[in-house]
Amino acid sequence: MNSKLKIQRLQMQIAINALDLIEVCDENINMGHNVADYVLRKQQYVEKYAEVMGNIVGEAVTISKVELFNEL
């Protein structure tokens, strides 16, 4: 597996983990557990998810442009 695929795989795992953590935060917020702390944590996980997904989408766009250029 080349290094770009390994990086994409790791980025996807980070995104999945962030979504899992967001869900845990929501559950704790809904139960009233340490709400302020979990709201802050959730925001951090949402930001990390957005960052990682932005990287994944950016890489996919770059790959598509390269493939399109190679077809010309």
Side-chain angles (χ1 to χ4, degrees), residues 18-58:
L19 287 176
D20 289 342
L21 291 168
I22 291 166
E23 184 177 341
V24 168
C25 288
D26 281 339
E27 290 170 1
N28 283 303
I29 290 167
N30 290 336
M31 290 188 291
H33 297 291
N34 227 356
V35 173
D37 184 44
Y38 282 107
V39 167
L40 178 61
R41 287 182 189 192
K42 180 181 175 181
Q43 181 60 36
Q44 292 169 340
Y45 299 140
V46 167
E47 290 171 4
K48 178 51 82 177
Y49 177 78
E51 175 188 339
V52 171
M53 289 307 293
N55 292 339
I56 292 169
V57 170

Side-chain angles (χ1 to χ4, degrees), residues 2-26:
N2 73 33
S3 61
K4 284 189 178 193
L5 288 177
K6 287 181 183 179
I7 291 170
Q8 285 180 330
R9 183 172 177 249
L10 290 172
Q11 287 178 330
M12 286 302 297
Q13 189 60 51
I14 291 169
I16 291 166
N17 289 346
L19 287 176
D20 289 342
L21 291 168
I22 291 166
E23 184 177 341
V24 168
C25 288
D26 281 339

